[in-house]
Amino acid sequence: MTSSSGRRRIRAPGVLWREGEFGVVVLPPGDSGPQTLSGSAPALWHALEQPHTDLALAADLAFQFGIEAHRVLADIAPVLDELTACGALIEAP
Amino acid sequence: MNASPKTSSAQEAAVAGPAQAATRAIAAYGLPGAAELPTTPLDADVWHRVFTDATRERTIPLLAIAVADAGLPATPDQKVEITRAHEQAMRRCLVLDRALLETSALLDAAGIETRALKGSAGAHLDYPDPSWRAYGDVDLLVGSDQLDDAIAALIAAGGRRTVPEIHPGFDRRFGKGACIVRPDAIQIDVHRTFAAGPFGLTIDLSKLFTDITPFVLGDRMLSALDRESRFLHACYHAALGDSIPRLTALRDVAQLSLANPLELDTALDRARAWRAESVVARAVTLSWDALGLEPSPLSRWAGSYQPDRFEARSLRAYTSDARSYATQTAAGVAAIPGLTAKAAYVRALVFADRGHVAARDGGYTKRIRRGWRALRNTAGPR
């Protein structure tokens, strides 16, 4: 797993996005195509307006959705890695 | 067995009436004075018609938001269909927003000042959220003196001009602008003014660069027109654009005049100075009629406005059955000040370049016939 629960991530500055009942559509800068975040991922996207460690993000979502934090972390880690790989998220200083 | 004509006509009426009422109420959704939406889910046939109309009229976002807000009750299948369509529309808008950012950065690097028009600018500045407005291309305004450079820069970046210039120097002096298609098939409309023909020639274009509203897109600050000029541009687009304007164009007119405070006196003073009050009156009347809105001071003014001779004659070029690019261009002669400039305009039309003639008219003979018809239509009844 490439995700590191200690590093802080935040939305990339140039990322474009729209929200609706479908969730959140995200278009990172560069050549990537749009990606749709559905289910609980829009909550994750909103939280990432500010820098968060993966652990803090998981704890926050666990509180919101009433699920155990370690289960949330396992669910969101691949999403966070994918969004980072496509340029929608960056590591916060 | 086929249904009898009487039965099928009754069935059609049973679908068309409710679908038309729902389509109109959806196009006005969220505006003060909008008609009420149905209180139960639409029948499958009516829904199908409403969904098809919303796709054509680019009002899918309004339908989706009406359903999401429970303003329009919907079946689970209908919710799935409209949510998916809204998602697809927004994915497309994001791609267009990225193209807008790339294009404005490209032109900025070439020292060309731009203003974002219509779609993205309107979605971000004039609606409660950008997800309320869908659009299909990128529209930018550039100054007359930089139009040629802007077109050259976009072509150098791989773009293709859809219709060649009518005559060298015509666009920057008299034209509406040019349409450039990028290698990825995204259309960039580079505007010099709001319309071809007479109403595009009477606008004080310098005003469009001095009075602006900034907005943030991605990590860049872009410039749009100020609110009053955005309203006027929406009116030009709705009143003079397509022969039957899209509901989304009519919604823009109502949105800009009803949803947020508009300096109406400023907007109408500007329209008067541009000899275009009749354009505003027509756009407002079309909008209020199509969206079924309650009368307002603006709609009452529009309903009673009497165009002067120049406006009446110019409007015919855009609104009569004979409307065409040729008719509008021919009607433009009256709007050009000075005999020398009029002569230059007419000379460019008569001695049009071969590439333009081939693309626009299909040959010189057809062009001459079309030009003669346009002149006759422009003259109108005596």
Side-chain angles (χ1 to χ4, degrees):
Chain A
M1 188 165 103
T2 56
S3 174
S4 159
S5 54
R7 76 188 200 198
R8 283 151 45 97
R9 312 195 214 212
I10 190 169
R11 287 186 211 157
V15 68
L16 300 167
W17 58 281
R18 291 279 201 285
E19 188 168 20
E21 281 295 287
F22 50 80
V24 173
V25 181
V26 172
L27 184 66
D31 297 329
S32 308
Q35 291 202 31
T36 302
L37 311 176
S38 53
S40 59
L44 180 147
W45 182 253
H46 285 296
L48 283 163
E49 188 176 4
Q50 301 296 327
H52 276 79
T53 65
D54 295 0
L55 268 178
L57 202 54
D60 189 20
L61 294 175
F63 178 74
Q64 280 186 48
F65 291 99
I67 311 169
E68 292 167 5
H70 69 90
R71 282 182 53 201
V72 175
L73 184 60
D75 284 347
I76 66 172
V79 178
L80 291 169
D81 286 339
E82 196 178 335
L83 289 172
T84 305
C86 75
L89 298 180
I90 55 169
E91 280 201 48
Chain B
M1 193 175 83
N2 290 332
S4 71
K6 197 172 178 180
T7 309
S8 65
S9 136
Q11 284 169 342
E12 168 60 19
V15 171
Q20 198 173 20
T23 293
R24 164 191 287 219
I26 287 155
Y29 184 70
L31 288 174
E36 289 191 4
L37 286 161
T39 52
T40 55
L42 301 174
D43 292 346
D45 288 346
V46 176
W47 168 265
H48 177 71
R49 181 74 61 91
V50 167
F51 184 86
T52 304
D53 289 349
T55 304
R56 186 187 62 241
E57 303 290 338
R58 295 215 179 118
T59 52
I60 283 288
L62 296 171
L63 177 54
I65 289 158
V67 168
D69 290 352
L72 177 65
T75 66
D77 285 350
Q78 291 169 354
K79 283 181 184 168
V80 168
E81 187 175 22
I82 189 57
T83 301
R84 193 173 294 150
H86 192 203
E87 178 194 348
Q88 290 306 315
M90 292 302 102
R91 289 171 78 96
R92 177 66 181 161
C93 287
L94 289 183
V95 171
L96 293 169
D97 281 357
R98 183 156 73 187
L100 170 61
L101 286 169
E102 290 167 353
T103 306
S104 60
L106 175 81
L107 297 179
D108 194 34
I112 297 164
E113 204 178 349
T114 58
R115 298 286 175 264
L117 297 176
K118 298 200 293 187
S120 186
H124 284 86
L125 289 169
D126 301 320
Y127 282 82
D129 184 271
S131 62
W132 281 55
R133 176 70 160 83
Y135 36 94
D137 58 15
V138 173
D139 292 275
L140 279 168
L141 180 82
V142 301
S144 301
D145 56 340
Q146 295 194 304
L147 181 68
D148 291 344
D149 291 343
I151 293 168
L154 293 174
I155 290 172
R160 176 180 54 83
R161 187 173 172 154
T162 52
V163 178
E165 190 174 15
I166 191 165
H167 198 75
F170 183 88
D171 286 343
R172 68 170 176 268
R173 194 168 180 194
F174 305 118
K176 178 185 175 185
C179 172
I180 309 290
V181 178
R182 303 191 338 166
D184 59 5
I186 290 176
Q187 183 174 313
I188 313 287
D189 289 346
V190 186
H191 297 248
R192 184 191 76 91
T193 182
F194 291 167
F199 286 121
L201 291 163
T202 48
I203 296 171
D204 176 4
L205 299 174
S206 64
K207 194 85 184 155
L208 305 179
F209 282 86
T210 52
D211 300 332
I212 60 164
T213 304
F215 70 104
V216 175
L217 187 62
D219 56 354
R220 276 176 66 91
M221 182 79 81
L222 300 182
S223 294
L225 307 178
D226 71 358
R227 190 167 175 76
E228 287 67 38
S229 286
R230 291 203 304 281
F231 168 70
L232 293 178
H233 188 203
C235 289
Y236 278 74
H237 184 57
L240 311 177
D242 297 329
S243 55
I244 301 173
R246 280 201 181 101
L247 284 175
T248 192
L250 299 172
R251 168 63 186 245
D252 284 346
V253 173
Q255 182 74 25
L256 274 149
S257 54
L258 288 176
N260 291 302
L262 175 74
E263 291 289 339
L264 194 56
D265 289 345
T266 305
L268 292 180
D269 284 349
R270 210 171 280 179
R272 191 172 308 117
W274 297 353
R275 304 175 76 180
E277 286 171 287
S278 61
V279 175
V280 176
R282 175 172 159 80
V284 169
T285 301
L286 286 171
S287 298
W288 258 248
D289 286 352
L291 303 183
L293 297 171
E294 286 175 5
S296 72
L298 177 62
S299 69
R300 280 190 276 270
W301 168 84
S304 63
Y305 182 74
Q306 292 296 318
D308 66 19
R309 197 173 162 200
F310 166 81
E311 288 181 309
R313 183 174 163 144
S314 299
L315 262 184
R316 271 204 304 275
Y318 300 88
T319 60
S320 72
D321 290 343
R323 63 164 272 141
S324 69
Y325 175 78
T327 316
Q328 290 159 23
T329 309
V333 178
I336 295 171
L339 280 176
T340 310
K342 278 187 201 297
Y345 185 82
V346 172
R347 195 163 49 241
L349 298 182
V350 173
F351 300 107
D353 276 15
R354 187 179 298 276
H356 176 89
V357 173
R360 178 75 78 179
D361 301 290
Y364 279 104
T365 310
K366 284 184 186 168
R367 179 176 180 77
I368 290 164
R369 278 200 205 117
R370 194 168 291 172
W372 175 244
R373 272 203 307 272
L375 278 172
R376 278 192 314 179
N377 290 327
T378 304
R382 292 185 189 277

